[in-house]
Amino acid sequence: MDEPTPQARRGRGIYLLPNLFTTGGLFAGFFAIIAASQGRTEAACIAIFVAAILDGLDGRVARLTNTQSEFGVQYDSLADLVSFGMAPALVMYHWSLVSMKLDGATLGKIGWLAAFLYAACAALRLARFNSQVGKVDKRWFIGLASPAAAGIMASSVWTMHSLDLSGEAMRYVALAITVAGGLLMVSQFRYTSFKGSGSGPGSDRVPFFALLLVVAALIALWIDPPKTLLAVLGAYALSGPAMWLWRLRGRRGADAG
């Protein structure tokens, strides 16, 4: 029997380095779920942001080391479902939505159904993203990206917790954030991907003023992480509907003219 070629032998395995980052993100998401169930709210929220950082690194590491693979793409998507779908939903549920049952059995069901809605929307968002890879403009995301939605959920809980606001008292606010975050993920609103146009040399350059904004955001993040993250991610989440309204207004003005 002929020995398999080196290419075939490599095809049987997986690339270790990028998948280590993906596994780290999966671990952080799983830890967030456990911490939330134990009432360790701040640790759970931080873990979701750790997962987001690792999620941003695994793809870049794969590209830099030329270790992209279909296995890595699918593994990353499954890990994202845990870290940015299940984890934020359960963090919000354990911190606040579980208190909806205080208003009656029906509203109690609405609490956990809202958490499920968010997780289901995250799954749909990831499936749509995977099916549209290579078919859409890389400058834009269609619908709010799941890491950004998870960041809004986590920063909202973290901010309210840091202000000594109880989940029980904020349960209707938590309900609104959960439902809105889920629906934005499956919406048709366009969000900038910050990847540039990729159409030629210098296409990824940004104005100098943008660098100053990044520095200011880093300083604010050092001073007050939860509020800064909530402000930045909240503004990003609102940018999609705002741009849609702006384009709609422009089209109506053009039609009227």
Side-chain angles (χ1 to χ4, degrees):
M1 183 179 294
D2 294 336
E3 286 292 325
T5 64
Q7 291 82 1
R9 286 196 295 268
R10 284 199 299 269
R12 294 175 183 175
I14 61 173
Y15 293 113
L16 180 62
L17 187 59
N19 289 305
L20 278 178
F21 283 93
T22 304
T23 303
L26 177 61
F27 175 83
F30 185 79
F31 174 82
I33 295 172
I34 299 298
S37 69
Q38 296 173 342
R40 299 163 59 192
T41 302
E42 184 173 337
C45 295
I46 293 173
I48 290 174
F49 283 106
V50 170
I53 293 171
L54 293 173
D55 178 65
L57 290 174
D58 60 3
R60 287 170 174 79
V61 168
R63 288 189 292 273
L64 287 172
T65 57
N66 196 26
T67 52
Q68 304 101 315
S69 67
E70 182 60 26
F71 174 88
V73 171
Q74 299 303 324
Y75 182 37
D76 180 68
S77 184
L78 292 172
D80 286 352
L81 178 57
V82 174
S83 299
F84 308 130
M86 296 298 297
L90 290 173
V91 168
M92 187 67 84
Y93 177 77
H94 285 296
W95 180 74
S96 181
L97 295 178
V98 68
S99 301
M100 294 292 294
K101 63 184 179 182
L102 298 175
D103 299 315
T106 301
L107 286 174
K109 293 178 182 179
I110 289 176
W112 67 260
L113 285 172
F116 170 75
L117 172 69
Y118 179 90
C121 287
L124 292 169
R125 171 68 178 80
L126 289 165
R128 185 173 68 180
F129 177 81
N130 289 345
S131 66
Q132 292 179 343
V133 170
K135 301 178 183 178
V136 297
D137 192 335
K138 291 183 178 181
R139 294 176 298 170
W140 308 100
F141 292 130
I142 305 302
L144 185 63
S146 58
I152 291 172
M153 295 277 280
S155 60
S156 298
V157 173
W158 192 3
T159 297
M160 290 186 281
H161 180 72
S162 68
L163 294 173
D164 293 325
L165 298 172
S166 70
E168 179 181 328
M170 303 302 293
R171 58 188 181 273
Y172 286 101
V173 174
L175 179 66
I177 293 171
T178 303
V179 173
L183 295 180
L184 283 174
M185 281 191 286
V186 296
S187 71
Q188 292 295 318
F189 295 134
R190 291 199 311 176
Y191 289 88
T192 179
S193 66
F194 301 104
K195 294 180 181 179
S197 63
S199 58
S203 60
D204 293 338
R205 292 184 179 181
V206 296
F208 179 74
F209 181 68
L211 179 60
L212 296 179
L213 290 177
V214 171
V215 172
L218 290 174
I219 293 173
L221 186 63
W222 181 262
I223 296 172
D224 195 336
K227 295 186 185 67
T228 301
L229 289 167
L230 179 58
V232 171
L233 291 170
Y236 179 68
L238 292 174
S239 68
M243 286 192 296
W244 177 79
L245 289 172
W246 182 262
R247 290 194 300 270
L248 182 62
R249 180 182 177 185
R251 285 197 296 270
R252 286 181 176 176
D255 293 340

